[in-house]
Amino acid sequence: MISKEENILFAAEKLFAEKGFEGTSTREIAKAANVNISMISYYFGSKEKLYEKLVEYRMNEGQFFSKDILERTDMNEWEKIARIVDQFTDRVRHHKCFYRIMQREQLHTQNPHIVEFLKQTKIGFIAVYSKILEIGLEKGIFTKNPPIYLLHSTVSGTLFYASNAKEMYKEFLNDTNAEDVFEEKYYTELNKHIKYILKDLLGYEENK
């Protein structure tokens, strides 16, 4: 059961993804969430604060799963990397609206609060990758030490580009399957592809 606050956030998320921040009114958000417009002021204060809260809400979800994986003791370091890729792929697939917003923000945001929050969130992800890589190298699980910031860019950049290009690739492949069938296959192959790249970059051998 989602809260009233989350209901407004999720309704706004769809509209922001479709129309952008400037193109979305608080009246439209209230209508989509089926609430009185005064509820937006009550929970968030303004459309700007609602937008900031949405970014924090989704990004904190992502940071939570990565930090949780870092602390697992029942996985080796490659399994932790693989699990992060699984989780990240799943989030990009199932939260398309939010990641569409984020890609727009990367290019055009002028909100200093969001700029700083995105920067700190990225640094947090890079710190998780860095710790896993450091331990994996010490244990001999990984034999290569690539620039950690580029490792994160490889994962996120590949995911975002491929997600945006999904319909183009469906047409290119002349795939006549239903959309949900193609999407399942597409993201499964994308997930495997990213892991193949990371294995090579990290010098990880499956049966070592």
Side-chain angles (χ1 to χ4, degrees):
M1 185 74 177
I2 66 172
S3 67
K4 289 182 179 179
E5 186 177 3
E6 288 173 325
N7 177 49
I8 295 170
L9 282 176
F10 300 157
E13 182 177 47
K14 292 179 181 178
L15 288 168
F16 288 146
E18 179 184 346
K19 298 185 173 186
F21 176 77
E22 296 296 339
T24 301
S25 69
T26 51
R27 191 170 300 278
E28 287 175 308
I29 295 169
K31 183 179 179 181
N34 196 29
V35 298
N36 189 289
I37 196 169
S38 64
M39 296 298 286
I40 293 175
S41 295
Y42 175 76
Y43 282 112
F44 305 101
S46 66
K47 187 176 76 167
E48 288 78 9
K49 293 298 181 184
L50 188 161
Y51 194 64
E52 291 173 5
K53 182 67 176 180
L54 172 63
V55 173
E56 290 186 14
Y57 182 93
R58 290 299 192 199
M59 296 302 280
N60 282 335
E61 284 181 328
Q63 285 216 305
F64 174 78
F65 78 68
S66 61
K67 289 178 180 177
D68 181 61
I69 289 169
L70 179 60
E71 295 169 2
R72 295 279 295 267
T73 58
D74 59 334
M75 298 178 174
N76 68 29
E77 277 54 49
W78 167 252
E79 289 168 337
K80 291 179 180 180
I81 291 283
R83 182 63 63 86
I84 290 174
V85 173
D86 289 342
Q87 298 265 19
F88 203 174
T89 303
D90 188 68
R91 284 180 59 77
V92 170
R93 177 182 176 184
H94 292 104
H95 295 298
K96 295 182 182 72
C97 287
F98 176 69
Y99 284 103
R100 191 175 302 134
I101 293 168
M102 283 301 90
Q103 288 175 74
R104 189 183 296 140
E105 281 299 317
Q106 304 261 16
L107 297 173
H108 304 298
T109 189
Q110 296 179 347
N111 183 318
H113 179 82
I114 291 180
V115 169
E116 181 62 22
F117 186 76
L118 289 177
K119 183 180 79 173
Q120 293 304 322
T121 302
K122 287 179 184 178
I123 289 173
F125 275 116
I126 292 171
V128 170
Y129 284 121
S130 182
K131 189 64 178 177
I132 293 174
L133 178 56
E134 177 187 343
I135 296 171
L137 286 166
E138 288 176 358
K139 292 180 178 179
I141 293 171
F142 305 134
T143 60
K144 297 179 184 177
N145 188 11
I148 200 66
Y149 58 93
L150 293 180
L151 199 70
H152 177 63
S153 294
T154 297
V155 176
S156 58
T158 304
L159 270 175
F160 294 151
Y161 182 89
S163 182
N164 290 335
K166 179 171 67 71
E167 294 306 317
M168 179 190 72
Y169 288 136
K170 188 175 192 296
E171 181 179 338
F172 172 77
L173 295 168
N174 196 27
D175 193 301
T176 57
N177 286 310
E179 183 64 25
D180 59 336
V181 175
F182 175 75
E183 183 169 286
E184 179 68 31
K185 177 184 176 184
Y186 185 75
Y187 280 97
T188 297
E189 291 181 344
L190 175 57
N191 180 282
K192 290 179 180 177
H193 176 71
I194 291 171
K195 288 175 183 175
Y196 287 145
I197 293 172
L198 293 180
K199 283 179 181 178
D200 185 58
L201 288 173
L202 296 168
Y204 173 74
E205 296 180 19
E206 197 79 52
N207 299 314
K208 189 174 179 180

